[in-house]
Amino acid sequence: MHENKEIDESKQGEALMIESPAAKGGKKLFLESYGCAMNFSDSEIVASILKDQGFSTTQDFFEADVIFVNTCAIREGAEQRVRKRLTEYRKAKKTNPDLIIGVLGCMAERLKSQFLEEEKLVDIVVGPDAYRSLPQLIETAETGQKAVNVLLSKEETYADIAPVRLGSNGVTAFISITRGCDNMCAFCVVPFTRGRERSRDPETIVNEAKDLFEKGYREVTLLGQNVDSYLWTGGGLKKENPTAQELSEATTFAQLMEKVALINPDLRVRFSTSHPKDMSDEVLHIIAKYDNICSYVHLPVQSGNSRILEMMNRGYTREWYLNRIAAIRTIIPDAAISMDIITGFCSETEEEHRDTLSLMEEVKYHFGYMFAYSERPKTLAERTYKDDVPEEIKKRRLQEIVDLQVKHSAERTKEGVGKVFRVLVEGVSKKSAEELYGRNSQNTVVVFPKKNYKKGDYVNVLVDNCTGGTLIGNAVD
Ligand code: 5AD
Ligand code: SF4
């Protein structure tokens, strides 16, 4: 999935710690993750597998026996960042020649054993579907050999592995509901690095959410590249042509969300990412029906121009997308909507760029994640189109899009002033120990004086002020 969603910049590459470490004396793991929420969620699977092997985590890679970096390949820049990080690990390998360095995730899958040739200090290369083999791979690496497993699977969902929560606030958690992607957007490397789409058994999803709730968590985010195509027909891999009987027994995304929402009204449900071509009214009605399903839809548009959307193989037009926006507004009137946009895709003209700006004006998104197009190896776009928009034009168009979004975000935030929101407290504000922060249903951060409230509480906050992206107020009874 998506490099951006829900994972803020401060968490990128932060040492991920298991809170209740295994027995002392075990080996030490330094684990860090880049990219999207799915990667952070996968790191919790990795931690779970290694904890069972007696590993504990460390924040200092100089004292680690194993360094694992979970990587992202979505844009060239994401890969450069990992390469840079590897040069820092080199120092640790100098002081500890037995140190094992492993590269996990999308970049590992994309480059496979080529990685070992390009980066001599790497010992292990492992793709997102091969984490169960980590113990064997470590064993191999301990004998001084290089170890690679980049097999992709049509079934693996790690459904039976209870993730170890990492760097958690104890209130919010991610749950993967699908893996892989079958959409083949022309610009996107994900179908190559994460393989075929498969849905996870709904029972294991509901049980994981229940377990989190019992441990004090109050919000789960259901994760998938395209949550709307979630479909459990018993076997995992989505059946191409299900029979009427199979369909009647299947669990859809709407039904899955309902099951999770019914666990407890105090368990909030979020989800990411929705796909405009697949997001149904049925899903929107379920969101509207349950107060604990958040009024927030992340609906990447990528471009406001139908010719570009066609080239991108997105499966919808500008008109279709705007019809989905209208459906959200009608069915969930208080919803916040956010987007992803790619600017400077192959052959994009100035007029087509202005279509993206005008679509933004029509929707006026609450938030946005905006990128300049970056050509990725093996993708349809790389094979069939020319990356012909000059860098400085991409940069200028991106700036125009970002400037407009900053303006819209500020306007949307301001609309919250004077209103009361139910806020789930996530922790103490970074700016002041006397203040708490949390989010409202629409996913906007709300800050207010602490009084006797604490993490995990739901607090009604009357907002009387704001900054560009944060609401400020006071608790009301
Ligand atoms: N170049 C730029 N942005 C990209 N994205 C995906 N692939 C590329 C690419 N090759 C963006 C899309 C996607 C988000 C996660 O990253 O907007 O929704
Ligand atoms: Fe990539 Fe498109 Fe799949 Fe999202 S839906 S992961 S952009 S191929």
Side-chain angles (χ1 to χ4, degrees):
M1 179 174 86
H2 298 118
E3 198 199 348
N4 43 32
K5 247 72 78 215
E6 330 286 341
I7 298 298
D8 56 35
E9 191 49 35
S10 67
K11 285 243 188 295
Q12 300 284 330
E14 184 188 56
L16 298 170
M17 303 295 287
I18 301 177
E19 268 158 27
S20 51
K24 274 196 187 134
K27 283 184 239 165
K28 287 219 164 84
L29 166 70
F30 178 87
L31 174 62
E32 60 181 9
S33 209
Y34 289 88
C36 64
M38 189 69 89
N39 256 8
F40 282 74
S41 174
D42 280 2
S43 290
E44 299 187 330
I45 301 285
V46 169
S48 170
I49 291 168
L50 293 186
K51 191 182 173 194
D52 287 347
Q53 299 284 312
F55 274 89
S56 60
T57 42
T58 171
Q59 268 174 313
D60 176 6
F61 62 73
F62 283 98
E63 72 170 43
D65 298 292
V66 175
I67 295 179
F68 277 158
V69 53
N70 197 350
T71 60
C72 172
I74 196 110
R75 279 171 292 276
E76 170 89 42
E79 293 201 357
Q80 280 164 356
R81 200 168 178 183
V82 170
R83 300 263 188 196
K84 217 171 132 209
R85 192 69 177 137
L86 287 175
T87 63
E88 290 168 41
Y89 300 156
R90 185 164 289 135
K91 297 175 203 145
K93 193 120 176 173
K94 277 204 179 115
T95 59
N96 173 15
D98 292 334
L99 172 65
I100 291 172
I101 298 179
V103 179
L104 280 52
C106 288
M107 201 180 164
E109 188 65 49
R110 191 179 83 70
L111 291 161
K112 306 190 170 61
S113 53
Q114 190 189 328
F115 216 120
L116 298 173
E117 287 146 38
E118 290 175 10
E119 305 281 350
K120 294 277 184 264
L121 85 163
V122 172
D123 304 290
I124 296 176
V125 176
V126 51
D129 284 347
Y131 296 145
R132 284 182 205 267
S133 69
L134 280 171
Q136 295 96 289
L137 296 173
I138 292 173
E139 251 178 56
T140 306
E142 279 170 348
T143 69
Q145 290 165 275
K146 305 278 180 183
V148 182
N149 187 349
V150 288
L151 287 176
L152 287 172
S153 159
K154 284 184 177 172
E155 288 94 28
E156 181 63 273
T157 58
Y158 301 111
D160 57 315
I161 295 184
V164 169
R165 303 295 158 186
L166 297 170
S168 158
N169 56 15
V171 180
T172 61
F174 295 118
I175 302 181
S176 300
I177 65 163
T178 68
R179 296 184 72 80
C181 187
D182 284 348
N183 287 313
M184 291 288 173
C185 298
F187 50 78
C188 187
V189 78
V190 168
F192 304 95
T193 63
R194 286 188 165 271
R196 294 299 303 274
E197 180 187 296
R198 66 221 93 127
S199 296
R200 177 177 166 191
D201 183 342
E203 211 183 298
T204 69
I205 296 168
V206 171
N207 287 343
E208 191 174 326
K210 272 188 189 154
D211 183 56
L212 284 163
F213 185 75
E214 278 156 21
K215 289 186 171 134
Y217 286 80
R218 291 294 173 264
E219 183 181 296
V220 293
T221 303
L222 307 179
L223 291 180
Q225 316 299 336
N226 172 355
V227 288
D228 300 295
S229 67
Y230 175 89
L231 188 69
W232 174 257
T233 52
L237 184 68
K238 192 165 64 180
K239 297 200 177 135
E240 298 296 324
N241 296 305
T243 62
Q245 168 80 14
E246 278 165 345
L247 262 186
S248 70
E249 288 164 8
T251 305
T252 63
F253 178 56
Q255 289 163 337
L256 175 72
M257 272 221 289
E258 181 157 41
K259 281 180 203 277
V260 179
L262 285 169
I263 291 173
N264 193 297
D266 279 343
L267 181 67
R268 260 189 186 177
V269 187
R270 295 190 187 279
F271 52 92
S272 185
T273 298
S274 305
H275 198 304
K277 82 180 163 63
D278 295 321
M279 188 189 68
S280 64
D281 286 1
E282 189 199 358
V283 166
L284 299 177
H285 283 295
I286 290 289
I287 301 169
K289 182 172 166 192
Y290 292 93
D291 280 346
N292 58 330
I293 303 183
C294 289
S295 298
Y296 171 50
V297 184
H298 180 63
L299 198 66
V301 63
Q302 314 299 3
S303 166
N305 176 271
S306 294
R307 186 186 75 89
I308 294 291
L309 287 170
E310 164 90 45
M311 280 179 71
M312 286 177 163
N313 197 28
R314 287 288 290 176
Y316 55 85
T317 59
R318 174 188 175 105
E319 291 67 36
W320 173 279
Y321 182 90
L322 287 172
N323 165 286
R324 294 292 74 210
I325 294 289
I328 298 173
R329 300 254 187 260
T330 311
I331 300 168
I332 323 163
D334 69 338
I337 305 173
S338 63
M339 53 68 172
D340 291 347
I341 285 174
I342 298 177
T343 189
F345 188 65
C346 314
S347 80
E348 184 190 68
T349 65
E350 211 49 41
E351 199 183 337
E352 288 164 341
H353 162 61
R354 282 196 296 272
D355 285 342
T356 297
L357 294 171
S358 79
L359 179 128
M360 289 174 70
E361 292 283 11
E362 271 190 52
V363 181
K364 210 205 239 191
Y365 295 98
H366 282 65
F367 319 99
Y369 305 90
M370 299 145 282
F371 313 97
Y373 173 60
S374 156
E375 185 176 82
R376 307 307 291 133
K378 277 201 195 169
T379 56
L380 184 74
E382 188 255 355
R383 287 179 283 126
T384 45
Y385 309 135
K386 236 176 113 189
D387 179 13
D388 56 1
V389 177
E391 280 312 309
E392 54 295 355
I393 293 188
K394 282 184 190 169
K395 224 171 127 187
R396 195 253 306 146
R397 288 182 189 167
L398 180 60
Q399 195 56 51
E400 288 175 12
I401 289 169
V402 169
D403 288 346
L404 185 58
Q405 185 51 46
V406 167
K407 177 171 159 260
H408 287 166
S409 291
E411 287 170 14
R412 286 298 191 190
T413 310
K414 219 172 190 172
E415 287 171 6
V417 177
K419 294 186 183 150
V420 175
F421 292 105
R422 189 158 187 257
V423 176
L424 172 60
V425 180
E426 291 178 29
V428 176
S429 156
K430 274 180 207 130
K431 290 203 183 123
S432 155
E434 291 313 304
E435 296 193 324
L436 296 173
Y437 81 95
R439 279 165 215 274
N440 63 11
S441 177
Q442 288 75 9
N443 209 30
T444 299
V445 173
V446 183
V447 176
F448 62 97
K450 192 158 119 193
K451 294 195 187 148
N452 291 322
Y453 298 106
K454 57 181 190 316
K455 213 160 81 165
D457 286 348
Y458 283 101
V459 184
N460 289 322
V461 176
L462 171 61
V463 170
D464 55 23
N465 203 349
C466 70
T467 66
T470 305
L471 296 169
I472 302 163
N474 285 285
V476 287
D477 287 325

